[in-house]
């Protein structure tokens, strides 16, 4: 047995590495254990590689479809060197992962390579090619993430049946890819492969994309654009199995009670992810889970076992990198004795489709469920925004939902260009309990996409400038006293 750490973090994803850095910043003797890559799923096989591929495909698509209209002449065929694209994508991941390793080292965090297993509540064993070692710590932070769910009849081999990891590591775009699951990953990967030349068919089990969980008018904008791009979307479809056929496969599925077959050369299965809680001997040491396998934690990320904490994907929905990192900072501060709890009012969610969908707070349906019977809803289209028109990205809108009685903002849903960057203002608004007036009366620079948020708040109040609202000249819904 070597040293006893104050904090030993297991898993170096965006939850774990952030927890380790903050622990070290707070003067705690800290180690982090990682069995594969520093940066975890997000930096190596998730957020970063997918966004690199999405940005390259978007760039190509714009050159192919928009350049001519802007008067830009490109000599010859614009094409993709897929091998080079993959190696560029890998260089982006390596840069990010290498950067995190430097940050850990620079903060004096010991990086221990290998697979951790609990051999007691205060002790783990770490196995690697170099052998095994045991490590003791006063506090362990479990940040071991999640993995893709497999469905019967579609076992991942990463050659024919791909998980997201295989889908991001292809040697060439498949001619025809069947995507099972029209959620975050299916539509992000399917969307960029379609722009790179693949024919895509999406089989979604529910009757709406994203299982109906995303604001439906925003989803419609994306679905329309995907269809225009040639992506086929089949909802209410149950994938039954596949068999090899010639060089490809034949996928059997059922829709409306009828069995159908579709030829393809590869299948991407993206039906959700499950926590890695069946590993590490967690059950054996008595850690409690919920019915879906997430480790049960309190608002300070404490498990039922003293000195054991859990953060990130393994500690519950939403399985998003920024939620994991937020919990990483929080858990380190709790361990160091600070008075912190998870009390965020909202976790923003972004789907990097074309256009992007970004949301904070409640959907319309959730507002009604939570007892907000009277709502003020504003909608402002990107088509009426000068910046959107000048970059030729006018699909989509901003939608703000507020409580009619108080004008307090309850939810913001953006589908359109740079929705991912625009949503942070809305997240701040919800965290601070802002009203429609707060957004409408804040001066936004011109010409920017951000003006759509201001104008949308004005629209909810009944008088946006750049769209015609009926009844013309109607009363302002601004509360008395709420003026600039
Ligand atoms: P992870 O990132 O999963 O890291 C866990 C780490 O623990 C891994 O490195 C693993 O090797 C290690 N580990 C596991 N068990 C052990 C063990 N026994 N011993 C040692 N080490 C162990 N989220 C977003 O917010 N935005 C996005 O754009 C986005 N895009 C995504 C795209 C894809 C294709 C995928 C798959 C996911 C995406 N996500 C995105 C989700 C995001 O990746 C996760 O929410 C995030 O990585 C969770 O962080 P984490 O720290 O909990 O776990
Ligand atoms: P998901 O939960 O987003 O979507 C899964 C989809 O598959 C749903 O629409 C569901 O109705 C459907 N489905 C479920 N079972 C099915 C079946 N048997 N046949 C056909 N359809 C089926 O899951 P996904 O895309 O795998 O992503 C997992 C998680 O990773 C996300 O929920 C998110 O937390 C995270 N992620 C986040 C991203 C981001 O923030 N931009 C990007 C990618 C992933």
């Amino acid at each position: 047995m070597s040293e006893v750490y104050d904090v030993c973090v297991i898993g170096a994803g965006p939850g774990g590495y952030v927890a380790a850095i903050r622990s070290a910043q707070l003067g705690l003797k800290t180690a982090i254990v990682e069995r594969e890559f520093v940066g975890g799923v997000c930096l190596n096989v998730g957020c970063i590689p997918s966004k690199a591929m999405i940005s390259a495909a978007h760039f190509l698509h714009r050159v192919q479809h928009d350049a001519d209209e802007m008067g830009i002449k490109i000599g010859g065929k614009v094409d993709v060197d897929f091998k080079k694209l993959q190696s560029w994508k890998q260089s982006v991941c390596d840069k990010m992962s290498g950067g995190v390793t430097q940050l850990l080292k620079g903060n004096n965090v010991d990086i221990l390579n290998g697979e951790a297993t609990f051999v007691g509540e205060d002790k783990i064993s770490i196995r690697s090619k170099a052998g095994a070692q045991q490590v003791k710590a006063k506090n362990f932070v479990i940040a071991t993430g999640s993995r893709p769910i497999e469905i019967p009849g579609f076992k991942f081999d990463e050659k024919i049946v791909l998980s997201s990891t295989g889908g991001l590591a292809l040697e060439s775009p498949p001619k025809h890819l069947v995507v099972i699951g029209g959620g975050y990953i299916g539509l992000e990967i399917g969307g960029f492969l379609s722009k790179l030349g693949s024919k895509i068919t999406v089989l979604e089990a529910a009757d709406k994309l994203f299982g109906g969980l995303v604001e439906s008018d925003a989803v419609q904008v994306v679905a329309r654009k995907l269809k225009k791009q040639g992506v086929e979307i089949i909802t209410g479809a149950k994938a039954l199995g596949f068999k090899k056929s010639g060089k490809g496969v034949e996928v059997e599925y059922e829709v409306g009670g009828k069995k159908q077959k579709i030829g393809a050369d590869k299948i991407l299965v993206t039906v959700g992810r499950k926590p890695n809680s069946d590993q590490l001997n967690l059950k054996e040491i008595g850690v409690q889970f919920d019915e879906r396998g997430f480790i049960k934690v309190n608002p300070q990320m404490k498990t039922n076992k003293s000195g054991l904490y859990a953060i990130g994907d393994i500690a519950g929905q939403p399985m998003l990198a920024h939620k994991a990192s937020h919990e990483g900072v929080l858990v380190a501060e709790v361990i160091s004795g600070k008075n912190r709890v998870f009390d965020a009012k909202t976790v923003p969610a972004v789907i990097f489709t074309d256009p992007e969908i970004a949301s904070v707070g409640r959907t319309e349906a959730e507002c009604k469920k939570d007892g907000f019977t009277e709502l003020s809803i504003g909608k402002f289209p990107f088509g009426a925004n000068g910046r959107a028109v000048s970059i030729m990205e006018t699909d989509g809108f901003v939608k703000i939902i507020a409580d009619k009685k108080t004008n307090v903002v309850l939810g913001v849903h953006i589908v359109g260009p740079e929705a991912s960057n625009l949503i942070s203002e809305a997240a701040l608004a919800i965290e601070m309990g802002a009203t429609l007036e707060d957004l409408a009366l804040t001066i936004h620079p011109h010409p920017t996409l951000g003006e759509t948020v201001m104008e949308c708040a004005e629209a909810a109040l009944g008088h946006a400038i750049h769209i015609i609202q009926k009844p013309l000249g109607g009363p302002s819904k601004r509360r008395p006293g709420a003026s600039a």
Side-chain angles (χ1 to χ4, degrees):
M1 182 97 50
S2 50
E3 313 174 62
V4 178
Y5 289 97
D6 294 320
V7 182
C8 177
V9 181
I10 309 173
Y17 82 72
V18 168
I21 290 173
R22 180 60 113 232
S23 296
Q25 285 173 340
L26 290 164
L28 300 167
K29 185 166 178 49
T30 307
I32 191 161
V33 191
E34 174 53 54
R35 68 179 174 192
E36 215 172 352
F37 311 109
V38 167
V41 167
C42 181
L43 270 57
N44 296 285
V45 291
C47 329
I48 298 297
S50 58
K51 267 78 253 181
M53 297 298 272
I54 285 167
S55 76
H58 189 60
F59 187 25
L60 174 76
H61 195 74
R62 298 225 51 198
V63 170
Q64 287 171 335
H65 296 268
D66 299 339
D68 189 57
E69 196 175 329
M70 287 178 174
I72 298 167
K73 292 285 165 208
I74 292 154
K77 187 174 176 241
V78 179
D79 215 344
V80 184
D81 177 341
F82 204 79
K83 209 169 153 200
K84 196 164 175 186
L85 171 58
Q86 281 289 10
S87 80
W88 168 74
K89 177 212 80 184
Q90 194 53 46
S91 74
V92 173
C93 297
D94 294 346
K95 209 175 281 172
M96 300 308 298
S97 171
V100 172
T101 303
Q102 292 312 315
L103 287 171
L104 289 166
K105 287 183 179 163
N107 280 287
N108 296 321
V109 175
D110 287 348
I111 304 174
L112 310 173
N113 297 309
E115 172 131 20
T117 314
F118 279 95
V119 289
E121 286 176 31
D122 64 346
K123 207 186 328 174
I124 54 169
S125 147
I126 305 172
R127 279 177 194 285
S128 69
K129 279 186 195 140
Q133 60 169 317
Q134 291 203 345
V135 167
K136 268 191 126 181
K138 292 177 197 155
N139 300 283
F140 282 98
V141 177
I142 305 158
T144 49
S146 63
R147 62 182 185 273
I149 294 175
E150 268 188 344
I151 51 172
F154 296 90
K155 194 171 167 41
F156 295 127
D157 62 8
E158 304 300 2
K159 291 186 180 86
I160 299 286
V161 184
L162 312 173
S163 70
S164 54
T165 303
L168 290 169
L170 289 160
E171 284 171 10
S172 58
K175 279 200 187 70
H176 188 176
L177 178 75
V178 168
V179 177
I180 302 178
Y184 276 74
I185 302 180
L187 296 188
E188 287 190 5
I189 296 183
F192 81 68
L193 283 172
S194 152
K195 288 178 177 166
L196 294 172
S198 297
K199 158 88 187 138
I200 306 289
T201 303
V202 178
L203 301 179
E204 163 61 45
D207 57 8
K208 283 186 180 154
L209 290 172
F210 304 102
L213 296 175
V214 177
E215 196 72 340
S216 56
D217 42 1
V219 176
Q220 271 173 23
V221 175
V222 171
R224 217 177 297 132
K225 198 151 181 196
L226 282 170
K227 283 179 192 159
K228 204 170 146 197
Q229 219 172 279
V231 174
E232 186 182 13
I233 298 168
I234 305 171
T235 53
K238 186 175 189 301
L240 301 171
F242 76 96
K243 57 177 191 243
K244 292 212 167 128
S245 158
K247 280 190 186 162
V249 289
E250 199 166 65
V251 180
E252 192 180 23
Y253 65 98
E254 194 180 291
V255 66
K258 276 194 194 146
K259 285 190 180 162
Q260 313 269 359
K261 283 183 182 147
I262 187 167
D265 44 356
K266 290 189 194 291
I267 305 159
L268 176 72
V269 181
T270 52
V271 295
R273 295 177 62 83
K274 63 176 177 188
N276 287 329
S277 49
D278 50 349
Q279 304 170 357
L280 290 134
N281 268 347
L282 290 171
K283 200 171 159 201
E284 288 73 6
I285 61 166
V287 172
Q288 285 179 356
F289 311 102
D290 71 12
E291 64 289 347
R292 299 183 64 191
F294 292 110
I295 296 179
K296 281 190 186 172
V297 287
N298 73 6
Q300 291 195 308
M301 315 317 295
K302 291 179 179 169
T303 69
N304 60 312
K305 292 281 166 188
S306 166
L308 293 192
Y309 299 78
I311 59 169
D313 281 9
I314 200 160
Q317 297 280 7
M319 291 199 261
L320 297 172
H322 40 279
K323 183 223 118 186
S325 297
H326 181 86
E327 292 173 346
V329 170
L330 189 153
V331 79
E333 296 183 353
V334 168
I335 291 171
S336 78
K338 294 195 189 306
N339 185 16
R340 286 276 327 258
V341 288
F342 189 100
D343 63 353
K345 283 196 192 147
T346 182
V347 179
V350 178
I351 310 157
F352 292 82
T353 41
D354 181 10
E356 297 172 347
I357 303 178
S359 307
V360 284
R362 298 174 174 88
T363 60
E364 257 185 86
E366 285 165 346
C367 287
K368 301 239 161 85
K369 209 173 85 201
D370 290 348
F372 295 97
T373 44
E374 287 195 86
L375 301 172
S376 283
I377 299 177
K379 222 170 175 181
F380 188 85
F382 280 96
N385 172 268
R387 187 61 181 272
V389 175
S390 64
I391 60 169
M392 275 178 71
E393 300 219 38
T394 52
D395 287 331
F397 56 81
V398 177
K399 175 173 174 180
I400 301 182
I401 308 167
D403 179 5
K404 201 168 195 166
K405 288 194 194 108
T406 59
N407 283 351
V408 168
V409 177
L410 300 172
V412 180
H413 306 275
I414 306 179
V415 57
E418 299 294 335
S420 55
N421 289 315
L422 297 175
I423 202 68
S424 296
E425 176 184 5
L428 183 66
I430 290 191
E431 279 303 330
M432 299 194 72
T435 59
L436 291 171
E437 291 88 344
D438 292 323
L439 289 173
L441 300 177
T442 298
I443 299 177
H444 286 61
H446 177 74
T448 62
L449 297 170
E451 287 172 286
T452 55
V453 176
M454 172 183 73
E455 288 252 39
C456 186
E458 288 283 25
L461 292 166
H463 40 56
I465 297 295
H466 291 95
I467 49 171
I468 294 168
Q469 289 196 277
K470 287 179 186 164
L472 273 177
S476 168
K477 294 177 200 158
R478 236 182 239 168
R479 288 167 311 137
S483 58

